Amino acid sequence: MIKRYLIFSITLFLSLMAHAAVPDSIKQNLADYDYLTNYTETNLATYPYIVRKRAKEYKVMRRKIRNSVKNGESILDATCDYVFWLFSHFDTHFYVDNHHFWSDYDIKIHPRYKDLIEYDPLPLAQAVDSVTFLIRVPSCDGRNPTFAWTDSAVVKFVESHCYNLIIDVRGNTGGSDMIWQPFFPLLIDHLPRQQSKILFRNTPQNRKNIEFRGMDSLIDKAKHSKQQFIPLEEN
C-alpha cells in the first residue's frame, strides 16, 4: 500500500512539474487553439462533409499542430496551418483574415497571375473578328466591372450576332455569383436536373450569428428542428 502511494505521489509530482514548466504564453496559445478547433468542429457548415472521408487525416493534422504549439509555434502560424488544411481540401470561404495567410498560404493553391506573367487586364467587350466576341471579366466583386457593365457586355454580344464567345477570367479572384446571371442563358441550354438548396448548419452559435440579419423565420425554424442541417430557403 505504501509502495502504491509512493508511486502515485511521484507520478502526480512529475505531472504537476511538467505542467508548471509550460510558460503561461504557451498555455494561452494552447487554450486559443483548442477554442479554434472546438468552435470549427461545432459550427463550420462544411466540417461534417470534409471529415466524412478524411476523419483520420484530420485528427492527425489537428494533433500535430497542437504539439507544435506546445513546442513554441506561434498561435498565428498554428491557426493558419489548421485553417489552411480545411481551406485547401474543400472550403475556400473558411480563411484567416490576415496578410500572413494570403501571402504565404493562399498562394499554395491559387496562382498569382501578376507574378507569373505581366497581366493587369481591364474589362473588355468587343468583337475579335466577324464571328468571335470577347468579354474579359477580371473581377466579380461588382466594382471592376460593375454589374451594369456585365449586363451591357452581354447585350453587345447578342447584338453582334457573333457565333463564338470567349469569356476571359484569367486572374479573376471571385466575388459575387450574381455577376454571372446575364451569362446563364448563353451558357446553359437546359434546366437543372436536380434542384439545389443552400443548407444552414443548425447550431446555437450559428443561430446567434444571424440574429441581427433579419432572418427571424430561419432562426425560429432552426430552434424547433432537430436536424443538423435545414434549408436556408424553401426555394
Side-chain angles (χ1 to χ4, degrees):
M1 185 69 180
I2 294 175
K3 184 177 180 181
R4 286 184 181 177
Y5 178 75
L6 286 173
I7 292 173
F8 174 77
S9 298
I10 292 171
T11 303
L12 179 62
F13 174 75
L14 291 175
S15 176
L16 290 172
M17 286 294 290
H19 184 72
V22 178
D24 289 342
S25 59
I26 290 182
K27 290 179 185 176
Q28 182 60 57
N29 286 346
L30 286 171
D32 288 344
Y33 181 73
D34 290 340
Y35 175 83
L36 167 67
T37 56
N38 290 334
Y39 187 97
T40 300
E41 292 170 9
T42 303
N43 300 294
L44 182 65
T46 50
Y47 172 78
Y49 297 96
I50 295 171
V51 299
R52 185 175 293 172
K53 294 183 178 180
R54 297 178 177 270
K56 186 175 181 180
E57 182 183 348
Y58 171 80
K59 289 178 182 178
V60 170
M61 175 275 300
R62 182 184 60 186
R63 184 169 59 251
K64 181 179 179 181
I65 296 175
R66 194 179 194 281
N67 287 337
S68 70
V69 174
K70 192 181 295 184
N71 291 327
E73 182 182 17
S74 75
I75 188 60
L76 175 59
D77 286 340
T79 300
C80 289
D81 290 342
Y82 173 79
V83 170
F84 182 71
W85 188 91
L86 297 160
F87 178 91
S88 61
H89 280 97
F90 190 83
D91 191 357
T92 55
H93 289 93
F94 186 55
Y95 55 83
V96 182
D97 195 10
N98 182 279
H99 176 72
H100 178 45
F101 184 83
W102 299 120
S103 63
D104 298 330
Y105 288 82
D106 175 72
I107 197 171
K108 295 178 182 179
I109 61 172
H110 292 140
R112 300 291 191 268
Y113 276 91
K114 290 183 180 180
D115 296 336
L116 297 173
I117 57 176
E118 188 175 340
Y119 186 73
D120 189 15
L122 295 174
L124 181 68
Q126 67 178 44
V128 177
D129 55 35
S130 60
V131 295
T132 303
F133 199 90
L134 169 66
I135 299 179
R136 184 188 295 147
V137 187
S139 172
C140 290
D141 64 9
R143 291 175 293 180
N144 186 33
T146 64
F147 292 94
W149 183 93
T150 307
D151 290 338
S152 66
V154 171
V155 171
K156 284 181 66 176
F157 164 67
V158 173
E159 292 178 348
S160 74
H161 301 292
C162 287
Y163 181 76
N164 304 313
L165 172 63
I166 299 172
I167 304 175
D168 183 356
V169 292
R170 289 175 296 166
N172 190 308
T173 55
S176 172
D177 293 341
M178 297 307 294
I179 204 167
W180 291 111
Q181 197 163 18
F183 290 98
F184 291 162
L186 307 178
L187 303 175
I188 301 171
D189 60 2
H190 61 275
L191 294 174
R193 292 187 175 89
Q194 184 177 350
Q195 188 75 17
S196 64
K197 288 187 177 181
I198 300 175
L199 299 178
F200 173 77
R201 188 175 180 190
N202 187 13
T203 70
Q205 185 61 52
N206 283 343
R207 293 197 296 268
K208 183 177 180 181
N209 289 341
I210 62 170
E211 279 182 355
F212 307 104
R213 298 189 181 185
M215 306 177 81
D216 295 343
S217 60
L218 174 63
I219 295 173
D220 185 62
K221 182 170 62 174
K223 284 181 179 178
H224 292 89
S225 173
K226 294 182 180 180
Q227 297 295 320
Q228 184 179 21
F229 289 93
I230 61 173
L232 191 67
E233 299 173 343
E234 292 304 323
N235 57 348

